[in-house]
Amino acid sequence: MDVLISVDLEGVAGIATRQQIGPGGRDYPAARELMTAEANAAVAGAFDGGATSVVVNDSHGPADNLLGERLDRRAEYVIGEPTPLGMMQELPSGRGVVLLVGYHAGAADPAGVLAHTFSGSGFADVRLGGVSIGEADLNALIAAEHGVPVGLVTGDDVVCAHAERVFPGVVTVPVKTALGRTAARSRHPAVAREAITDGAARAVRNALSGAVRPLSIPDELLVEAELRPNGAADLAARVPGTERLDGRTVRFAAASPRQALDVLEVWAALAAHYPHR
């Protein structure tokens, strides 16, 4: 059983403030340690559950956060961006499962800690078929294109509750309770890691037994983004196939989840050229 662990930072235990999640922040070095430790907890659980290979994908920001020397030696890892599949790079090519560690709620969610969808500065909301989504949703559909299920989601209580509604058979590990956009009641990191190891083992066993299945991919993949920067839609609307709906919202009819991701990444890059006002 091949396992991909996609690890983000906002959903890690002990993380709640913006200064923790970027290189300029006082506590960013400590956050990298916490992120790497949760990745290791998932690696250990994956092997306990029967994994034969594990790849860890650094899925936060520019994807250069994990401390390679501290990672479990049994795992390989992906660092740097862009990559063809983004947060899902190195999806298993055969029988496998994806574990989403340190994830967070989507941009439109009113309660999730550090909630956003792919680009906090670029997107005020991302919708698929008119429904607001988070990164876990689209990543799960990308995995489904390859016939791979999502077996585990860890993060705050908000993203875990969402995963339980959307991903049949998923194991969730809430490591903190959201108290606001930048506030949380967190489990002790060591206790959270123990729970992640147990959850990852259960998720891999479920995948081996066939108890968890890939998501069904909708027949229509109409992706919309409400752009934060004033004026960013001027450029986003010039992406071939993009329809402009209003001053800030653009829409694209994607042929696949992978194409939906590609378009979102281009829109986000264009939005980065505009001041956020």
Side-chain angles (χ1 to χ4, degrees), residues 256-270:
S256 66
R258 163 69 184 279
Q259 188 179 46
L261 174 65
D262 289 346
V263 170
L264 281 170
E265 289 190 342
V266 171
W267 287 344
L270 294 172

Side-chain angles (χ1 to χ4, degrees), residues 35 110 136:
M35 180 184 181

Side-chain angles (χ1 to χ4, degrees), residues 36-61:
T36 303
E38 287 203 3
N40 280 339
V43 172
F47 280 113
D48 289 348
T52 53
S53 72
V54 176
V55 177
V56 179
N57 186 355
D58 188 324
S59 297
H60 177 66

Side-chain angles (χ1 to χ4, degrees), residues 145-183:
E145 277 191 274
H146 293 72
V148 178
V150 170
L152 173 74
V153 174
T154 82
D156 69 13
D157 60 317
V158 178
V159 71
C160 287
H162 175 78
E164 289 172 2
R165 291 191 300 269
V166 176
F167 307 151
V170 72
V171 174
T172 63
V173 179
V175 301
K176 57 193 172 189
T177 300
L179 300 177
R181 206 68 159 191
T182 54

Side-chain angles (χ1 to χ4, degrees), residues 120-122 124 227-234 247-248 271-277:
S121 61
L227 304 171
R228 287 192 190 279
N230 188 20
D234 293 346
R248 291 181 182 269
H273 288 277
Y274 281 83
H276 304 297
R277 60 176 184 267

Side-chain angles (χ1 to χ4, degrees), residues 112-215:
V113 175
L114 296 166
H116 65 278
T117 304
F118 293 110
S119 172
S121 61
F123 300 140
D125 192 14
V126 175
R127 296 180 288 272
L128 189 64
V131 178
S132 294
I133 62 169
E135 293 163 15
D137 299 288
L138 184 53
N139 288 339
L141 289 173
I142 290 169
E145 277 191 274
H146 293 72
V148 178
V150 170
L152 173 74
V153 174
T154 82
D156 69 13
D157 60 317
V158 178
V159 71
C160 287
H162 175 78
E164 289 172 2
R165 291 191 300 269
V166 176
F167 307 151
V170 72
V171 174
T172 63
V173 179
V175 301
K176 57 193 172 189
T177 300
L179 300 177
R181 206 68 159 191
T182 54
R185 175 174 172 169
S186 180
R187 302 173 80 173
H188 188 283
V191 175
R193 292 193 290 268
E194 291 171 358
I196 289 170
T197 296
D198 177 70
R202 286 188 286 129
V204 173
R205 291 189 194 107
N206 288 346
L208 283 167
S209 70
V212 59
R213 300 287 185 185
L215 283 184

